[in-house]
Amino acid sequence: MKIWCCLCFNEEDEEEDNHNRPESMREKGIFGNQDLPDDTFENDEDHPVGTAAPLSLAAIDREHDEQLRLFEEMVRAVRVGAFASWSNTGPRTSRRSEGESSSASANVTPVLDGGAEDSRDSYHKRAKVHSNFDECHYVTPASSNTGKSIAYADCRDYDNNPSSSVRSNNDTCYDAFTFMASGQENNFEPGCVKENDTDDSDILKVEDLEVRMDLTDDLLHMVFSFLDHPNLCKAAGVCRQWRAASAHEDFWRCLNFEDRNISVEQFEDMCRRYPNATAMNISGPAIHLLVMKAISSLRNLEVLTLGKGLIGDTFFHALADCAVLKRLNINDATLGNGIQEIPINHDRLCHLQLTKCRVMRISVRCPQLETMSLKRSNMAQAVLNCPLLHELDIGSCHKLPDAAIRSAATSCPQLVSLDMSNCSCVSDETLREISLNCANLSILDASYCPNISLESVRLPMLTVLKLHSCEGITSASMAAISHSDMLEVLELDNCSLLTSVTLDLAHLQNIRLVHCRKFADLNLRTIMLSSILVSNCPALHRINITSNSLQKLALQKQDSLTSLALQCQSLQEVDLTDCESLTNSVCDVFSDGGGCPMLKSLILDNCESLTSVRFISTSLVSLSLVGCRAITTLELTCPNLEKVCLDGCDHLERASFCPVGLRSLNLGICPKLDVLSIEAPAMVSLELKGCGVLSEASINCPLLTSLDASFCSQLMDDCLSATTASCPLIESLILMSCPSIGSDGLCSLRWLPNLTFLDLSYTFLTNLLPVFESCSQLKVLKLQACKYLTASSLEPLYKGGALPALQELDLSYGTLCQSAIEELLACCTHLTHVSLNGCVNMHDLNWGFNRGDVLPDEVDVACLNLCFLNLSNCSSLEVLKLECPRLTSLFLQSCNIDEEAVEAAISKCSMLETLDVRFCPKISQLSMGRLRAACSSLKRIFSSLST
């Protein structure tokens, strides 16, 4: 692909191009003003081809809009780092030349050889861009210590490329900079060549797509400001204008040579090109030579980052030459020769970081220094003269003795933050000296310091105190901590000797107590406490917290916790999971008047000592009692309670929800529930499935629409009557396996005018007349395994016209005779789903039989609306005649019917889609093709694998 950038060359180049073009190209106006809109020419006579007429306002607006669209596309492309892919396709606002057709913009001219390519460029003089930036190398001049005049600039990235076997890291890094920084325009040869290849016949053949982009230098500069250095190097390969723009010093204020093997000569060249660089990152074996060159030639350096090498003494003596240096970072380096003291003296240095450095002694005299880190450095002495230092980090400086730490910290009177974690030599005497000399100290991290106990230490301005794994911290240490009136954060993890914490701190907001194996008593009084974490403290048995700000309390896996007292006005969430020793008294803590008036969520999962739970709360919204197997009595008076989880409460015997705000409730996991009382004005769904001993139930839910009382074998007629009277909106009622329900209970169904689903399966009913008289809107009736129903039990359906809205009827595993079923199906033409699964009395079913008053060749179809028919497990069924034009599903599983009968049955079912003939002994796998031919609408046939 080629991208033509019309501002890449000056006017003389353009005139020369036009003069050298063939006559045919000049006549067609190529590279003239063919890109201008049609209305920019007044007429062909006044303005011959190649001469621009004055632009109209509409043309100017269109030109402006097109520029904006182009700019937006470029910004979108470079922001996602997809510069190469964007340049492959070009902007969507590309224009076509005057004589081009609709497909001309995508015209592709293959490059046959290098000579043809050069010939084409002699006309256009535009920079070529290979269709894939990631594999393209450009020829560009580059000076090197070997005297070579040409080098290949790798535009993939200026990072190390281990996959390249041709170019060294030196050349790859340096040429990437040199390519976009070169100002020798005449030597810019845009040909795309292979590395180590001198045969012209092997030059890559690429497809050229001409796209014109009118970009001003300011616009291009703005777009390039979004690019990082690798993409700037890629952009440099587009054309001379882009190369010059990408080399602008605004984009190269920070020079990064981290882990790059660059020679001193190349480094000096880069410093000469960008003398105004303000930040530099250098690492590697030659770090000392490079940094010495940097500080001698770059006078505007403000940030200097060094690492992974040896930095000699001369660097620190010459450091003052960087007059504007503000930040010095040295990581994982050896300083000096390891014997003499390393001096760091600078008048303007504000931030100093020496991490993981190897040095014997350092001396720092920086009057403006504000922050300093010596973390994990191997040194035995640190002398500081930094009067403005307010942040000092000497964490993990294992060789610093206690006296050196004391001297360093006390020499900084303005110190605000001190990290001395993992300094095992620190003593209480040092902390006392620091407290006397650093009156503003507010952040202290003394974690992993086994020798401190805070005895007689007073730090009144302290706001953050971290004491992880401090073996000397005991309950007596709390007296010293209590003098830190401004303390906000306290962390006491893994303090193995700590037994109790009693603090009255007005500003304490956050406290951590994790893995304190002897910790037994927590007593906090702090109005600002907002977060507390107490975990894996096996001896903890008492907690007393007073706070006006605490909103969330998590005390998980506190096996010994028995007593809990809370006065937390803002507490909303409490998690006491696996607190196995909690007693029933915890209910008083979380009920109204217990000190938590805003509590919304309470988790008491696996609190196995709870036996009787009683909550009276106007704020509680969610309650979880999962796994509380010992609970036998539950009383909830929580009008705003919306969610309750009782999984695993399998010993619950008595439950009262009066009143609650629940919308749904599942008590099917409480098999021992005997007495139930529910008053839930918003409840719409109630499931009692499996409450086999439930004998007394009071359900007052005026909005209830679904009730599942399956297997409630003790549920009586009076309970059903009371429920239907108080819940008139019930639409779905499941009474499967409720043998105690009789005719009196069914008569109460007249109070349910919206009842559409009724399941009376596995009951001992003999009379369904109350159902036929009371449930005029019933759509689904399930009577599975109702073996006491007789042939006359269903007569009101097919003789009296009962249940006119009935659509689904399930008579599976019943004992009705075949004649009753045939007559039912012949008369109830409104049925759509019929299940006769396991009806042993089914023999021959002639669906669409002839009546006496019709001619022998006339067929009276009984069920015009039937779409689902299940005759599975009717082992006696051998003959089946159907003419059901809307039947879509037919199940004949395990029927003794042959393929001829099935073929005849389905041949007149023009909408049949699903057929199940699994385990039919007379139907083989080879018959499937015959069945599909008999019914063209079939989509699925389920059959066994037997042949």
Side-chain angles (χ1 to χ4, degrees):
M1 173 187 295
K2 285 198 286 188
I3 297 180
W4 303 111
C5 298
C6 65
L7 296 182
C8 293
F9 303 96
N10 56 29
E11 295 179 358
E12 295 178 359
D13 293 333
E14 292 295 336
E15 292 176 359
E16 182 181 355
D17 288 344
N18 191 51
H19 178 72
N20 292 331
R21 293 188 193 111
E23 186 66 25
S24 59
M25 295 176 65
R26 293 200 299 269
E27 290 176 355
K28 292 182 181 180
I30 299 179
F31 301 103
N33 50 15
Q34 70 275 19
D35 292 329
L36 295 176
D38 294 338
D39 57 358
T40 60
F41 298 94
E42 296 179 359
N43 55 66
D44 292 339
E45 296 178 359
D46 297 336
H47 301 281
V49 175
T51 305
L55 292 176
S56 66
L57 291 178
I60 293 175
D61 289 341
R62 283 196 296 271
E63 185 75 13
H64 179 66
D65 292 342
E66 189 167 347
Q67 291 281 356
L68 288 179
R69 288 195 299 271
L70 176 60
F71 173 73
E72 290 172 357
E73 286 212 17
M74 290 187 65
V75 170
R76 283 196 296 269
V78 300
R79 272 184 171 171
V80 299
F83 212 104
S85 61
W86 179 87
S87 62
N88 290 344
T89 58
R92 278 174 265 182
T93 57
S94 59
R95 310 177 220 160
R96 289 195 281 272
S97 59
E98 185 174 313
E100 290 176 327
S101 65
S102 61
S103 62
S105 62
N107 185 32
V108 175
T109 304
V111 180
L112 299 179
D113 52 36
E117 187 69 23
D118 293 339
S119 175
R120 184 176 180 85
D121 280 349
S122 67
Y123 295 123
H124 303 308
K125 289 191 177 179
R126 303 299 190 206
K128 282 186 303 183
V129 180
H130 193 275
S131 60
N132 189 341
F133 272 107
D134 293 339
E135 298 179 358
C136 183
H137 303 271
Y138 300 93
V139 180
T140 184
S143 60
S144 69
N145 54 0
T146 60
K148 294 180 181 179
S149 61
I150 293 178
Y152 296 102
D154 190 340
C155 288
R156 276 169 288 188
D157 200 339
Y158 58 75
D159 291 338
N160 291 339
N161 183 11
S163 64
S164 176
S165 60
V166 178
R167 300 182 43 77
S168 67
N169 290 340
N170 267 11
D171 295 336
T172 300
C173 171
Y174 175 64
D175 290 345
F177 286 104
T178 305
F179 175 74
M180 56 84 205
S182 175
Q184 303 177 16
E185 295 186 359
N186 294 334
N187 291 328
F188 183 87
E189 294 294 342
C192 194
V193 300
K194 291 182 178 180
E195 295 179 1
N196 298 339
D197 202 339
T198 59
D199 190 354
D200 290 342
S201 62
D202 291 334
I203 293 179
L204 293 178
K205 298 176 176 59
V206 297
E207 296 178 347
D208 296 337
L209 176 63
E210 297 181 0
V211 181
R212 295 180 62 86
M213 293 185 298
D214 299 334
L215 298 178
T216 65
D217 290 338
D218 290 342
L219 180 61
L220 197 61
H221 190 90
M222 184 182 301
V223 173
F224 280 9
S225 67
F226 293 103
L227 294 180
D228 55 11
H229 287 177
N231 280 317
L232 280 171
C233 290
K234 293 178 181 179
V238 175
C239 62
R240 283 200 294 271
Q241 184 202 19
W242 286 32
R243 180 176 60 182
S246 62
H248 197 282
E249 65 177 359
D250 287 352
F251 307 139
W252 299 94
R253 297 289 184 182
C254 177
L255 302 181
N256 187 356
F257 298 98
E258 183 180 8
D259 296 327
R260 291 187 174 87
N261 187 14
I262 186 171
S263 68
V264 176
E265 292 79 7
Q266 292 170 338
F267 183 83
E268 287 180 334
D269 186 31
M270 290 306 303
C271 291
R272 283 194 300 269
R273 293 184 186 277
Y274 300 105
N276 295 321
T278 60
M280 178 167 285
N281 188 345
I282 312 173
S283 66
I287 182 173
H288 180 73
L289 293 176
L290 298 182
V291 72
M292 292 304 294
K293 294 293 183 181
I295 62 178
S296 64
S297 57
L298 303 179
R299 298 299 181 179
N300 296 317
L301 278 181
E302 297 179 2
V303 179
L304 184 58
T305 302
L306 310 173
K308 299 180 181 178
L310 173 62
I311 303 176
D313 304 336
T314 55
F315 163 73
F316 297 99
H317 290 291
L319 190 62
D321 294 340
C322 290
V324 297
L325 189 66
K326 294 182 179 179
R327 182 183 295 271
L328 175 62
N329 303 324
I330 303 179
N331 179 54
D332 195 13
T334 300
L335 311 183
N337 57 16
I339 300 177
Q340 74 273 24
E341 181 178 86
I342 294 298
I344 301 178
N345 304 326
H346 200 283
D347 292 338
R348 294 191 178 182
L349 194 65
C350 297
H351 307 281
L352 175 62
Q353 180 176 315
L354 306 176
T355 57
K356 296 177 63 177
C357 290
R358 294 164 292 281
V359 59
M360 287 298 294
R361 297 181 298 275
I362 66 168
S363 172
V364 182
R365 290 176 176 85
C366 301
Q368 300 297 322
L369 196 65
E370 298 176 1
T371 66
M372 180 178 180
S373 174
L374 304 176
K375 200 173 191 70
R376 300 177 64 186
S377 290
N378 186 4
M379 65 184 68
Q381 186 70 31
V383 178
L384 306 184
N385 185 359
C386 309
L388 299 183
L389 190 70
H390 63 258
E391 182 177 328
L392 176 62
D393 185 352
I394 53 175
S396 300
C397 292
H398 300 291
K399 289 191 176 182
L400 271 181
D402 187 36
I405 295 175
R406 186 186 317 155
S407 174
T410 56
S411 64
C412 304
Q414 302 299 320
L415 203 61
V416 174
S417 174
L418 175 61
D419 185 345
M420 55 174 60
S421 58
N422 277 292
C423 293
S424 56
C425 298
V426 176
S427 64
D428 284 335
E429 182 181 354
T430 294
L431 289 179
R432 284 193 293 269
E433 291 292 328
I434 292 174
S435 65
L436 294 175
N437 290 274
C438 304
N440 297 321
L441 187 65
S442 62
I443 301 175
L444 174 62
D445 189 348
S447 300
Y448 302 95
C449 296
N451 296 325
I452 65 171
S453 64
L454 298 183
E455 183 180 352
S456 302
V457 177
R458 300 292 183 266
L459 295 166
M461 301 302 294
L462 210 60
T463 60
V464 177
L465 178 59
K466 298 182 180 181
L467 299 171
H468 295 234
S469 301
C470 292
E471 299 177 0
I473 297 298
T474 64
S475 300
S477 304
M478 296 303 108
I481 296 177
S482 64
H483 285 84
S484 300
D485 296 331
M486 307 301 293
L487 195 63
E488 297 176 0
V489 177
L490 177 61
E491 298 182 3
L492 298 168
D493 295 2
N494 293 292
C495 292
S496 57
L497 298 180
L498 185 64
T499 58
S500 65
V501 171
T502 301
L503 293 172
D504 187 351
L505 296 172
H507 295 89
L508 188 64
Q509 299 177 16
N510 189 316
I511 185 170
R512 285 175 54 98
L513 290 156
V514 180
H515 292 292
C516 299
R517 61 177 183 269
K518 293 185 178 182
F519 183 63
D521 189 359
L522 175 62
N523 192 337
L524 294 177
R525 185 177 182 85
T526 166
I527 59 175
M528 300 296 292
L529 188 66
S530 60
S531 175
I532 178 172
L533 177 59
V534 179
S535 178
N536 292 299
C537 299
L540 182 63
H541 65 271
R542 192 178 76 87
I543 292 179
N544 188 343
I545 300 175
T546 301
S547 170
N548 289 340
S549 301
L550 186 64
Q551 296 186 4
K552 185 175 182 178
L553 176 64
L555 302 171
Q556 300 178 355
K557 297 182 179 180
Q558 305 305 318
D559 298 341
S560 301
L561 184 62
T562 58
S563 176
L564 184 64
L566 299 174
Q567 289 294 327
C568 303
Q569 303 302 311
S570 300
L571 190 62
Q572 297 184 18
E573 300 179 30
V574 175
D575 187 349
L576 297 172
T577 300
D578 294 316
C579 294
E580 299 178 357
S581 300
L582 278 179
T583 63
N584 297 334
S585 61
V586 73
C587 299
D588 297 331
V589 177
F590 300 114
S591 292
D592 288 348
C596 304
M598 302 295 291
L599 186 66
K600 293 183 178 180
S601 174
L602 176 60
I603 300 176
L604 295 170
D605 294 352
N606 300 317
C607 295
E608 298 185 357
S609 295
L610 297 178
T611 58
S612 179
V613 175
R614 181 175 182 268
F615 288 109
I616 302 175
S617 173
T618 56
S619 63
L620 195 62
V621 174
S622 175
L623 173 64
S624 180
L625 296 168
V626 175
C628 297
R629 302 183 182 279
I631 295 179
T632 58
T633 303
L634 176 64
E635 297 183 23
L636 299 179
T637 304
C638 307
N640 293 309
L641 186 66
E642 298 178 358
K643 181 180 179 181
V644 61
C645 297
L646 300 172
D647 295 350
C649 297
D650 46 18
H651 288 78
L652 186 63
E653 298 176 0
R654 303 175 66 88
S656 172
F657 303 85
C658 299
V660 291
L662 297 171
R663 291 183 56 84
S664 63
L665 178 62
N666 182 2
L667 294 174
I669 35 73
C670 303
K672 295 186 177 182
L673 187 63
D674 180 26
V675 179
L676 173 64
S677 178
I678 299 178
E679 181 182 338
M683 185 173 291
V684 296
S685 175
L686 175 61
E687 185 170 330
L688 303 175
K689 186 177 182 178
C691 297
V693 298
L694 183 63
S695 60
E696 183 180 341
S698 173
I699 303 173
N700 183 9
C701 305
L703 299 182
L704 193 68
T705 59
S706 175
L707 175 60
D708 186 349
S710 304
F711 302 103
C712 293
S713 57
Q714 304 298 319
L715 204 62
M716 309 297 290
D717 285 344
D718 57 347
C719 179
L720 179 59
S721 299
T723 301
T724 56
S726 60
C727 308
L729 299 182
I730 291 180
E731 299 175 2
S732 174
L733 179 60
I734 302 177
L735 299 173
M736 182 176 64
S737 296
C738 293
S740 300
I741 298 295
S743 296
D744 293 341
L746 295 181
C747 288
S748 67
L749 299 182
R750 65 181 183 274
W751 302 112
L752 305 177
N754 299 323
L755 188 65
T756 58
F757 185 102
L758 180 61
D759 190 346
L760 297 173
S761 301
Y762 297 91
T763 58
F764 301 151
L765 296 172
T766 58
N767 181 13
L768 296 177
L769 189 60
V771 176
F772 298 145
E773 293 177 349
S774 305
C775 306
S776 59
Q777 301 299 320
L778 201 63
K779 295 181 179 180
V780 180
L781 178 60
K782 292 183 175 293
L783 299 171
Q784 294 184 33
C786 292
K787 298 184 178 181
Y788 291 94
L789 292 177
T790 62
S792 60
S793 300
L794 298 179
E795 285 186 357
L797 278 178
Y798 56 84
K799 289 185 178 181
L803 306 183
L806 192 66
Q807 298 177 359
E808 299 184 26
L809 179 62
D810 191 345
L811 297 173
S812 300
Y813 303 103
T815 57
L816 294 179
C817 62
Q818 180 170 329
S819 60
I821 294 176
E822 287 185 347
E823 194 168 359
L824 170 71
L825 298 176
C827 297
C828 296
T829 59
H830 46 76
L831 290 175
T832 61
H833 291 67
V834 175
S835 181
L836 300 171
N837 183 17
C839 291
V840 295
N841 293 329
M842 296 294 299
H843 298 286
D844 299 338
L845 185 59
N846 185 353
W847 215 322
F849 58 91
N850 295 335
R851 294 185 178 180
D853 55 349
V854 297
L855 297 176
D857 58 343
E858 293 180 355
V859 178
D860 188 0
V861 179
C863 287
L864 290 174
N865 295 315
L866 191 68
C867 61
F868 178 93
L869 177 61
N870 188 354
L871 297 172
S872 299
N873 298 298
C874 296
S875 55
S876 300
L877 182 64
E878 296 182 355
V879 179
L880 178 63
K881 296 181 180 180
L882 299 176
E883 189 170 346
C884 302
R886 297 185 180 179
L887 189 67
T888 59
S889 300
L890 176 61
F891 293 84
L892 299 173
Q893 190 175 143
S894 301
C895 290
N896 193 30
I897 191 170
D898 56 26
E899 65 180 70
E900 289 80 5
V902 175
E903 182 180 1
I906 67 176
S907 61
K908 295 184 179 181
C909 300
S910 58
M911 297 182 66
L912 188 66
E913 296 181 356
T914 302
L915 175 65
D916 189 345
V917 290
R918 284 175 291 185
F919 311 112
C920 294
K922 296 182 179 180
I923 299 178
S924 67
Q925 186 72 17
L926 301 177
S927 304
M928 297 304 104
R930 183 175 175 180
L931 295 179
R932 289 186 181 276
C935 183
S936 59
S937 61
L938 268 178
K939 296 181 179 179
R940 294 170 294 275
I941 299 181
F942 299 101
S943 62
S944 57
L945 299 179
S946 61
T947 57

